Structure formats: C-alpha cells, structure tokens
Amino acid sequence: GAGVSQTPSNKVTEKGKYVELRCDPISGHTALYWYRQSLGQGPEFLIYFQGTGAADDSGLPNDRFFAVRPEGSVSTLKIQRTERGDSAVYLCASSLIPGNYNEQFFGPGTRLTVL
Amino acid sequence: AQSVTQLDSQVPVFEEAPVELRCNYSSSVSVYLFWYVQYPNQGLQLLLKYLSGSTLVKGINGFEAEFNKSQTSFHLRKPSVHISDTAEYFCAVTANTGNQFYFGTGTSLTVIP
C-alpha cells in the first residue's frame, strides 16, 4: 500500500512569509508525528497527534509554528513569519496505533529553504 | 528528558567485514530504544527496537543490537556488510511512558567494495 507522503517535496520561500507543509499518513494510522531535521543532525521532535488532537506539542520551538489534523488523517504544519533558521527538512511519520513502542513510518520529507 | 549520542559520524568499512555503530543514551527513567536507517533519497525505516526482555535484539537485513543498561548503550552490529548497507543510521530513545523521541546525530556507514 501507499506510504506516508509529504507535499511539497521542496519549498523555497522568503524570510517573513507564511508556509504550509502537508502530510498524508498511511491510511488508518491514528498516530502522527512531525519532526525537523537540520543539516547534519538527527530528527528533532516537534509534535505528536493521537487522532485529531495534539497529544504533545512540547517540541514546537515557538508560537510561529502550529500544526493541525482536523479529521484525524491529513496533517498540516504551518509556519508563520519564516526565518532563515527554519530552513530544514520537515519529516512526518505515522504509526498504526498510539504508543511510543510502535514502529513509525516516515515520509520522504519536505525540504524548506528560507531565503 | 532523554538524549542520544552517536560518537561516530562516519564509518567506512570494507565489504563483508563486520561493523559496529555505537549509540549511548542518557535517561533517568526506563526507555525504549530504536535504530532507524535512511537510504539515499528515502525516508527513515525501522531496523530494530528494544522494548523489554532479551537484551539482544535482531532486526532486518541481518542487523542486531544489544541493550546494555549498565553502560547505557545500544550498539548496532552486523557480522558481514554489503554494499547495499551504505546509508545513514540513527539511534533513537523514548521514555517508556512518553511521546517524544530523541534521535542521535546519525552515523554515515560507507561500505567499500
């Protein structure tokens, strides 16, 4: 079946602009994670959804970052007033059922470049 | 909070030789441990995980890892590597009651023909 997909694959924007990054998890997966991976670093946890609700958003770096998952499937990560330091690969992952012991299936990521 | 250290950023190894990729973690609570692999231009894929029980965990593609609580380590091993094992390998930890995952900075494994 289809894996986790993320769109766009690449996004170039200017400092101060607003961007939305989309994640389509594997069908039926209830848990969804967002990570940010900067160059030369491992993925950094941002937010975790169980169904429609954000069960843990403690990894969001500041209030410019926000994520939603209104129907419990597709999720959108929103970044306001982008800064050059936001440039990174944003990864989405899903797992069939909630629980940190479950395998996460990762998407290919969206590479965000803020000029 | 938890943290992960992968001391080796790059590991070159000849084909059919054994390899060990090191991972050390820090945590004040019980943890689950994972190894993920990222092939070029692909998403991360789970290799293996330790939740509880036997400290020796076997994963896909002939990899295995051993959980050592006293040394707070979870080193990844393979007795004989192939060219196709060339990839980036990430160790990750999560508290067994938590939601956040903490990844190491990754180890780039290059298998030399």
Side-chain angles (χ1 to χ4, degrees), chain B residues 23-89:
Chain B
C23 172
N24 287 86
Y25 70 94
S26 173
S27 178
S28 58
V29 299
S30 295
V31 296
Y32 298 145
L33 292 153
F34 303 78
W35 275 100
Y36 279 84
V37 61
Q38 187 172 30
Y39 298 106
N41 300 315
Q42 295 186 28
L44 279 81
Q45 176 184 358
L46 181 67
L47 269 180
L48 47 78
K49 61 182 177 182
Y50 171 78
L51 303 181
S52 64
S54 174
T55 57
L56 184 62
V57 180
K58 294 188 183 297
I60 62 171
N61 300 340
F63 283 92
E64 63 181 31
E66 185 156 21
F67 171 60
N68 188 319
K69 188 175 182 179
S70 63
Q71 297 187 4
T72 61
S73 67
F74 190 54
H75 301 331
L76 181 71
R77 302 185 183 99
K78 186 168 182 178
S80 176
V81 295
H82 302 289
I83 297 291
S84 60
D85 294 323
T86 294
E88 190 85 14
Y89 292 79

Side-chain angles (χ1 to χ4, degrees), chain A residues 16-28:
Chain A
K17 299 290 189 182
Y18 168 83
V19 296
E20 290 189 353
L21 311 179
R22 176 187 169 108
C23 172
D24 281 83
I26 294 173
S27 179

Side-chain angles (χ1 to χ4, degrees), chain A residues 33 35 37 40-45 48 50 55-56 58-59 91 99-108, chain B residues 32 34 36 38 41-46 49 51 90 94-106:
Chain A
Y33 299 79
Y35 295 87
Q37 187 173 16
Q41 301 297 314
E44 173 193 12
F45 170 85
Y48 163 60
Q50 283 186 22
D56 187 337
S58 58
L91 301 173
N100 59 355
Y101 47 85
N102 290 305
E103 177 179 0
Q104 295 181 43
F105 294 83
F106 282 80
Chain B
Y32 298 145
F34 303 78
Y36 279 84
Q38 187 172 30
N41 300 315
Q42 295 186 28
L44 279 81
Q45 176 184 358
L46 181 67
K49 61 182 177 182
L51 303 181
F90 292 95
T94 182
N96 63 359
T97 56
N99 298 310
Q100 293 199 29
F101 281 77
Y102 298 88
F103 284 79
T105 52

